[in-house]
Amino acid sequence: MMASDTAALPFVDRRNTARRAHIWLGALLVLVSLASLAVGASGTSLWGALMKLAQGEALTLTERVVLWDIRAPRLVMGICVGSALAVSGAVMQGLFRNPLADPGILGVTSGASLGAVTIIVLGAALPAVVQTTLGAGLLPVAAFLGAWGSMLLLYRVSTRAGRTSVATMLLAGIALGALFAAFSGVLIFLANDMQLRELTFWSLGSLAGASWLKLSVAGPVILVSVALACTLGRGLNALALGEAAAHHMGVPVERTKAVAILAVSAATGTAVAISGGIGFIGIVVPHLLRLATGPDHRGLLVNAGLLGASLLLVADMVARVVVAPAELPIGILTALLGSPVFLWILLRKRGLVDM
């Protein structure tokens, strides 16, 4: 069972701590969202636009395009992707009873990457009607299909006679992830210079491709998956004691595992499909919250969604302004933040640091 600095607190105190965290993290997300709408390479002011609307004046075409067509969908995508990765990480850590687990452990991320690499390298061979119909949505659709294909294959391999083995799932996820990475490597070897450049930027992650059309497809899938995952708190708490104990506590163990796999795969696969590879949000956010508010998943899952969305929006703002008018891939920033925290977690578990 995962240890925590707050595990020794009385039950009521831990519930109150989690509820207070809901309020503070919710307020943080609101503030960060307003800042995300206000910050950008252009000189368009959010506050100026709000003052115009309050006085009954119409916005200029530039203000409408910048605020509504560029910054607003980017904000919504950041919330969706950040919450999906963080909640998925919390569920994986609870399911595997390991604070170092993250959504990529199931191989879903590698499956999405294989779908994206396949389209970037071999997409020109597709029929013209397919390329014309999907247009810019071709790459996220391919990544989405790759993620779901890997999820279905993983579930089929790890389920026997109606029972899903978590240990088999872990090993199969590692094996499938390595297999998909090998196929991606073959395609990367065949890619030309232009395709390699596109592959590199996609793998580093970005919210620059956000649009209302893309969100109309991916947004509902992520929101439903995250909401479904947030209902698993009681089951994950019971599974922390072992499957036999959870069964005697009245928890439907097999159904809980199946829902967790489905929700995490759908949320992670869709998030990767629309944003590319963004690492460390899924592993860092749940662990920090577990240290601050305790291991109770009933509060942890919601708080992970709020903090994950806020952190990704902050990273996106930094990415937009630090080298403006160019844009830094978000994956670089999350790696700069996540790598030291990941190392600190390892050192702390080995008792080499005190805090």
Side-chain angles (χ1 to χ4, degrees), residues 3-346:
S4 168
D5 290 346
T6 60
L9 290 175
F11 174 75
V12 175
D13 286 349
R14 282 189 276 122
R15 291 296 300 272
N16 289 336
T17 300
R19 287 170 179 165
R20 285 195 295 272
H22 290 342
I23 298 172
W24 284 108
L25 292 175
L28 174 65
L29 181 57
V30 172
L31 290 176
V32 172
S33 298
L34 290 174
S36 178
L37 281 176
V39 172
S42 75
T44 302
S45 168
L46 171 65
W47 317 119
L50 292 177
M51 289 296 293
K52 278 187 177 182
L53 292 175
Q55 296 170 0
E57 299 180 21
L59 300 180
T60 65
L61 177 60
T62 301
E63 289 171 331
R64 287 200 301 271
V65 170
V66 170
L67 293 176
W68 179 249
D69 294 331
I70 298 177
R71 293 184 189 173
R74 191 168 183 142
L75 164 66
V76 177
M77 182 183 285
I79 293 174
C80 289
V81 172
S83 59
L85 296 177
V87 171
S88 297
V91 171
M92 285 293 94
Q93 291 170 15
L95 189 63
F96 290 107
R97 287 182 282 172
N98 187 331
L100 299 181
D102 78 338
I105 203 169
L106 294 181
V108 177
T109 304
S110 298
S113 298
L114 177 58
V117 171
T118 302
I119 284 301
I120 291 173
V121 178
L122 304 177
L126 289 174
V129 63
V130 176
Q131 299 184 45
T132 304
T133 303
L134 294 178
L138 186 58
L139 192 149
V141 167
F144 182 80
L145 293 177
W148 275 82
S150 65
M151 179 202 72
L152 294 175
L153 183 58
L154 176 68
Y155 191 74
R156 182 70 183 87
V157 169
S158 58
T159 302
R160 188 178 182 86
R163 293 178 59 86
T164 303
S165 168
V166 172
T168 303
M169 189 193 314
L170 174 61
L171 296 174
I174 294 173
L176 289 175
L179 181 63
F180 296 149
F183 282 128
S184 296
V186 172
L187 292 171
I188 290 172
F189 178 76
L190 298 174
N192 58 36
D193 290 344
M194 183 66 72
Q195 292 166 341
L196 285 175
R197 180 178 175 80
E198 187 176 356
L199 282 169
T200 300
F201 277 98
W202 184 87
S203 63
L204 291 175
S206 175
L207 301 180
S211 68
W212 291 120
L213 176 61
K214 192 179 291 185
L215 284 169
S216 67
V217 178
V221 177
I222 292 178
L223 291 177
V224 170
S225 303
V226 169
L228 194 61
C230 288
T231 65
L232 299 173
R234 177 174 172 270
L236 292 175
N237 285 346
L239 284 174
L241 304 174
E243 293 189 14
H247 176 73
H248 290 297
M249 292 170 66
V251 173
V253 175
E254 292 304 319
R255 190 173 69 186
T256 300
K257 290 190 290 186
V259 171
I261 296 166
L262 176 64
V264 168
S265 300
T268 305
T270 309
V272 173
I274 60 176
S275 67
I278 297 176
F280 288 105
I281 293 287
I283 190 170
V284 171
V285 170
H287 193 80
L288 292 178
L289 284 171
R290 196 175 292 109
L291 290 173
T293 64
D296 189 343
H297 288 88
R298 289 172 295 185
L300 177 68
L301 295 175
V302 176
N303 287 331
L306 295 172
L307 184 58
S310 298
L311 281 183
L312 191 56
L313 290 179
V314 170
D316 182 52
M317 281 189 286
V318 175
R320 280 186 279 166
V321 300
V322 70
V323 292
E327 186 173 311
L328 200 64
I330 296 179
I332 295 176
L333 294 172
T334 56
L336 286 174
L337 170 67
S339 300
V341 175
F342 187 82
L343 183 60
W344 170 70
I345 293 172
L346 291 175

